[in-house]
């Protein structure tokens, strides 16, 4: 693959992964994944992060092509998760004189992954410290929990570039033809969604910098219309509502709960709801469902009573939401139970600690199959949602 120019002196040396089955062990990535890395060429040369273990040689070849015979002076490690850090040891075997740049937490993790002898030439930086490469200085800004505690981002004031680590990343290899927002949102809420306040802190720091280009560790380099990406990140990390509409997430064993959910969807559309998202939690992508729950302001959950609890896919879905600090939303409940229906109570209880949840007045209880009374309740629920 070689390298691509980001600027005259910043070269992209990352790789595309079309072999990954589940990214980070759980996310379907139908269009693969990109592990980004960059070489900054100045009087001194810095390599920004490494790559996943399956692509070490391809990445080393890219780095060598970009260096064009030069030796790298620094390897900057912004994030120790192995999709970016797995090739550190092999990089140092090729370039043993390179100084590895990280913070105290970076090196503690590096020693856990590779042993205490890793990176004998190291530069331990503190938050806000700078490293001169000659005509430019790199400033290291700590961004703990975006996505791990050691994460730092790097600002190059000369080229006005923010190396943003996992921030502003997305699923999908760089040769995939797809828009940015959908897979960036699925990535954000899946991976960083819990850490909204930490992302907000990073955005506040970023607002003080003149940024013309964002170089993330996944997804494309962003160099146009940066306000669009920053605005979306601000909405996502503040748990704001991005799009007007209702998400209906359901599970159904014999189709009766689905019928109730479908009737609600039909009623909402008939009443002019701008967008209705209809998701079968047993069959549709769970990360996509999580993304949609955070995208829209209104959510209806429909499930069966099961083992005196709720159907497992619904339990998993709500757990995903709650652990990512789901908040500031309106929720309605549809339950089904042939005897002792308890699903609505269980679902509501699961959001007990969630902030700023508004519950619809109407809760629909289906006993086995829908009745005319249920239909009227669903009509009332639709009216409340509109
Ligand atoms: Fe792309 Fe948190 O690693």
């Amino acid at each position: 693959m070689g390298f691509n120019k980001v600027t005259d002196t910043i070269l992209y040396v990352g790789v595309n992964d079309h072999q990954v089955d589940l990214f980070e062990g759980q996310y379907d990535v139908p269009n693969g994944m990109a592990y980004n890395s960059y070489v900054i060429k100045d009087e001194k040369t810095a390599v920004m992060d490494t790559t996943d273990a399956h692509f070490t040689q391809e990445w080393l070849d890219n780095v060598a092509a970009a260096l064009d015979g030069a030796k790298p002076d620094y390897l900057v490690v912004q994030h120790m998760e192995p999709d970016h850090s797995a090739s550190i040891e092999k990089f140092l075997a090729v370039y043993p004189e390179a100084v590895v740049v990280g913070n105290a937490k970076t090196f503690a993790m590096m020693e856990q992954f590779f042993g205490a002898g890793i990176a004998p030439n190291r530069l331990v930086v503190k938050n806000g410290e700078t490293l001169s490469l000659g005509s430019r200085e790199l400033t290291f800004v700590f961004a703990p929990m975006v996505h791990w505690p050691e994460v730092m981002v790097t600002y190059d004031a000369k080229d006005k570039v923010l190396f943003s680590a996992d921030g502003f990343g997305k699923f999908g290899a760089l040769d995939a033809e797809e828009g940015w927002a959908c897979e960036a949102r699925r990535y954000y809420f899946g991976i960083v969604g819990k850490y909204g306040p930490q992302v907000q802190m990073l955005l506040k720091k970023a607002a003080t910098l003149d940024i013309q280009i964002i170089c993330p560790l996944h997804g494309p380099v962003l160099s146009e219309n940066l306000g669009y990406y920053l605005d979306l990140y601000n909405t996502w990390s503040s748990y704001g509502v991005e799009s007007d509409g209702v998400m209906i997430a359901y599970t159904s064993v014999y189709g009766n709960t689905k019928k109730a959910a479908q009737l609600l969807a039909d009623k909402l559309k008939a009443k002019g709801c701008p967008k209705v998202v209809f998701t079968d939690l047993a069959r549709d992508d769970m990360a996509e469902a999580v993304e949609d729950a955070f995208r829209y302001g209104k959510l209806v959950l429909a499930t069966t009573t099961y083992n005196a609890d709720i159907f497992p896919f619904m339990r998993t879905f709500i757990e995903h939401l709650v652990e990512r600090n789901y908040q500031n939303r309106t929720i309605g409940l549809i339950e089904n139970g042939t005897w002792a229906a308890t699903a609505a109570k269980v679902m509501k209880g699961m959001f007990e600690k969630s902030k700023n949840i508004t519950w619809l007045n109407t809760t629909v209880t289906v006993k086995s199959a829908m009745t005319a009374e249920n239909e009227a309740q669903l009509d009332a629920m639709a009216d409340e949602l509109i």
Side-chain angles (χ1 to χ4, degrees):
M1 186 177 161
F3 63 88
N4 295 308
K5 277 190 172 185
V6 177
T7 70
D8 282 343
T9 49
I10 298 177
L11 309 177
Y12 177 88
V13 293
V15 300
N16 286 322
D17 180 358
H18 285 289
Q19 298 158 28
V20 58
D21 61 344
L22 291 175
F23 177 65
E24 291 189 2
Q26 61 171 317
Y27 297 103
D28 261 331
V29 282
N31 285 328
M33 204 63 206
Y35 312 119
N36 298 343
S37 168
Y38 305 88
V39 169
I40 306 172
K41 296 179 91 168
D42 206 301
E43 289 163 38
K44 304 267 188 182
T45 298
V47 177
M48 304 298 291
D49 295 289
T50 76
T51 198
D52 180 86
H54 298 89
F55 296 88
T56 304
Q57 193 53 54
E58 182 181 337
W59 170 73
L60 281 171
D61 291 346
N62 293 348
V63 170
L67 290 171
D68 193 22
K71 293 271 183 236
D73 296 285
Y74 300 104
L75 171 65
V76 177
V77 178
Q78 301 184 106
H79 184 14
M80 272 306 297
E81 192 163 16
D83 51 333
H84 312 293
S85 70
S87 303
I88 290 174
E89 190 170 38
K90 287 186 176 153
F91 174 88
L92 291 175
V94 180
Y95 305 109
E97 285 153 23
V99 174
V100 181
V101 182
N103 57 60
K105 287 184 175 143
T106 317
F107 287 108
M109 290 183 183
M110 208 179 293
E111 291 182 9
Q112 287 175 195
F113 277 108
F114 296 105
I118 190 76
N121 301 326
R122 60 175 75 173
L123 175 64
V124 184
V125 295
K126 293 195 173 74
N127 187 23
E129 280 190 351
T130 58
L131 172 66
S132 173
L133 298 183
S135 78
R136 83 189 72 207
E137 277 188 345
L138 301 180
T139 303
F140 304 107
V141 178
F142 289 11
M145 301 321 294
V146 187
H147 148 228
W148 279 15
E150 86 297 0
V151 169
M152 57 186 197
V153 301
T154 305
Y155 181 61
D156 168 4
K158 184 182 178 196
D159 279 359
K160 300 182 171 42
V161 174
L162 179 70
F163 295 91
S164 60
D166 275 343
F168 300 95
K170 68 182 274 295
F171 295 130
L174 297 193
D175 52 6
E177 289 198 14
E178 60 182 11
W180 186 84
C182 188
E183 284 297 70
R185 189 188 302 103
R186 193 166 71 96
Y187 169 92
Y188 175 85
F189 283 110
I191 290 172
V192 201
K194 180 180 175 64
Y195 302 108
Q198 290 85 346
V199 176
Q200 283 278 304
M201 281 201 307
L202 179 58
L203 291 176
K204 286 199 176 80
K205 285 179 199 163
T208 66
L209 304 171
D210 180 4
I211 299 168
Q212 300 295 325
I213 300 174
I214 296 175
C215 289
L217 286 178
H218 302 290
V221 171
L222 306 174
S223 57
E224 287 173 9
N225 199 13
L226 293 192
Y228 166 76
Y229 305 100
L230 289 160
D231 281 352
L232 279 178
Y233 253 62
N234 187 39
T235 300
W236 297 344
S237 58
S238 60
Y239 303 94
V241 173
E242 180 188 341
S243 303
D244 199 10
V246 177
M247 180 194 194
I248 302 172
Y250 71 93
T251 66
S252 192
V253 186
Y254 294 106
N256 288 302
T257 311
K258 180 178 180 180
K259 255 186 214 161
Q262 184 67 62
L263 184 61
L264 177 67
D266 294 344
K267 285 179 180 294
L268 285 168
K269 284 179 201 158
K271 289 174 192 285
C273 182
K275 175 80 180 176
V276 180
V277 177
F278 194 65
T279 300
D280 179 345
L281 294 174
R283 291 175 179 81
D284 296 335
D285 181 74
M286 186 59 79
E288 184 85 24
V290 170
E291 167 202 334
D292 281 332
F294 282 96
R295 177 174 184 173
Y296 299 97
K298 296 168 184 172
L299 174 67
V300 174
L301 302 170
T303 197
T304 44
T305 305
Y306 187 82
N307 284 339
D309 198 85
I310 53 176
F311 206 61
F313 296 100
M314 179 60 78
R315 171 161 281 282
T316 300
F317 178 58
I318 296 174
E319 283 169 352
H320 277 302
L321 300 187
V322 169
E323 75 188 33
R324 287 166 175 75
N325 294 320
Y326 189 77
Q327 56 188 273
N328 306 334
R329 297 294 189 275
T330 296
I331 308 179
L333 300 173
I334 300 171
E335 65 178 350
N336 196 344
T338 297
W339 72 100
T342 54
K345 189 174 168 219
V346 173
M347 287 192 281
K348 194 167 183 179
M350 288 182 75
F351 290 96
E352 205 173 19
K353 293 186 179 151
S354 302
K355 282 191 267 180
N356 197 20
I357 300 293
T358 304
W359 295 97
L360 296 185
N361 292 323
T362 311
T363 294
V364 181
T365 299
V366 177
K367 288 187 177 166
S368 306
M370 252 199 307
T371 60
E373 190 191 345
N374 288 150
E375 289 187 26
Q377 290 167 338
L378 288 165
D379 205 60
M381 182 177 263
D383 284 338
E384 277 195 73
L385 286 162
I386 291 288

